[in-house]
Amino acid sequence: MRLLVLTAILATAAVSVSLPAQTSLPAPPAELARSVQQRYDTIRDFSARFVHAYEGGVLRKMVTERGTLQIKKPGRMRWEYTHPEKKLFVADGSQIYSYIPADRQVYISPVPASDQATTAALFLTGKGNLVRDFAVAHGELAGAPPGTSVLKLSPRQTERDYDVLFLAVDPASYQIRVLSAADKQGGRSTFTFSEIKENTGLADKTFVFKIPPGTEVVRSDNTPERR
């Protein structure tokens, strides 16, 4: 995971494209996507627990990881993996830090501009727009929570790291319960969110990353340095 936080977390992860049928959406997909976008436009910050299930590679090995997510607009995120391996992805509004303590290395890249942020989760930080950036259709997603509606999001511009994204959305609250993505190698990745809390006033310091002493720093232009 050495790209943007969600390119690293989602787009370079993966997604399922062969899935069982779901019930029909209660609203046209573009209308539902617009409602989801409008709802998240009103949210200043939110936090949740997540389970990340990833299946990929030649042996199709399944890996399940857990952690917490915190997001604050504009452009700030903190994905903290706690099990089985510690990982940390922090966006402070201008830079994204990808840090795996066991590697003693941090990868730094700029947060994309709003008109360049097409990864689905980045729209939660105020970057990107579901209706503008994706072609939206009815979707099917294995394991989607009962009662949710599934949107299939195909990027309007070709993306290097993923082909299609799926959102399982609560049709009453428009909360995103599951986010899943498919990579070009046929891998599968699914994020399931729980204990969602909104507009709690997350502190700005939550999204400050301090580079630990002795950590190798690699920037997106591949310039290494050591702290």
Side-chain angles (χ1 to χ4, degrees):
M1 295 184 180
R2 298 300 187 193
L3 301 174
L4 301 177
V5 171
L6 282 186
T7 317
I9 295 175
L10 294 176
T12 62
V15 154
S16 173
V17 294
S18 179
L19 304 166
Q22 302 287 320
T23 57
S24 298
L25 291 172
E31 180 181 327
L32 181 59
R34 189 174 299 108
S35 296
V36 172
Q37 181 69 53
Q38 290 173 347
R39 183 185 190 283
Y40 278 91
D41 284 344
T42 69
I43 295 175
R44 301 183 301 277
D45 63 67
F46 73 93
S47 60
R49 293 187 179 277
F50 69 83
V51 175
H52 177 197
Y54 170 71
E55 182 181 6
V58 177
L59 300 179
R60 308 304 299 174
K61 182 179 179 181
M62 175 68 77
V63 176
T64 300
E65 301 177 291
R66 292 176 170 80
T68 58
L69 164 66
Q70 294 170 295
I71 287 182
K72 184 174 184 178
K73 295 178 181 178
R76 285 169 283 187
M77 296 190 293
R78 184 183 183 93
W79 293 78
E80 188 164 3
Y81 284 70
T82 56
H83 180 81
E85 180 184 13
K86 291 185 178 180
K87 304 176 186 178
L88 183 61
F89 302 92
V90 177
D92 62 9
S94 60
Q95 301 288 331
I96 297 175
Y97 301 84
S98 304
Y99 176 56
I100 300 177
D103 293 346
R104 300 190 66 80
Q105 184 182 75
V106 59
Y107 182 88
I108 303 176
S109 58
V111 172
S114 295
D115 60 354
Q116 298 174 345
T118 59
T119 302
L122 284 174
F123 99 95
L124 301 177
T125 71
K127 300 282 184 179
N129 184 285
L130 292 182
V131 178
R132 182 194 68 198
D133 299 331
F134 295 91
V136 184
H138 297 271
E140 299 175 347
L141 183 60
T148 57
S149 299
V150 177
L151 293 173
K152 178 182 178 181
L153 305 176
S154 301
R156 296 188 186 279
Q157 296 184 358
T158 301
E159 293 294 326
R160 181 181 63 181
D161 300 300
Y162 67 93
D163 290 321
V164 64
L165 302 171
F166 295 88
L167 298 181
V169 177
D170 184 319
S173 67
Y174 301 123
Q175 281 187 336
I176 295 175
R177 299 298 177 83
V178 180
L179 193 158
S180 190
D183 70 13
K184 297 182 182 302
Q185 290 73 43
R188 302 182 181 186
S189 180
T190 301
F191 287 81
T192 301
F193 303 105
S194 63
E195 299 183 34
I196 299 171
K197 299 178 182 179
E198 300 171 349
N199 295 331
T200 60
L202 294 175
D204 290 346
K205 64 181 181 181
T206 302
F207 308 95
V208 175
F209 181 80
K210 295 183 179 180
I211 299 174
T215 299
E216 181 184 10
V217 177
V218 179
R219 299 187 180 276
S220 55
D221 59 2
N222 294 321
T223 302
E225 59 183 275
R226 187 171 293 278
R227 295 295 181 93

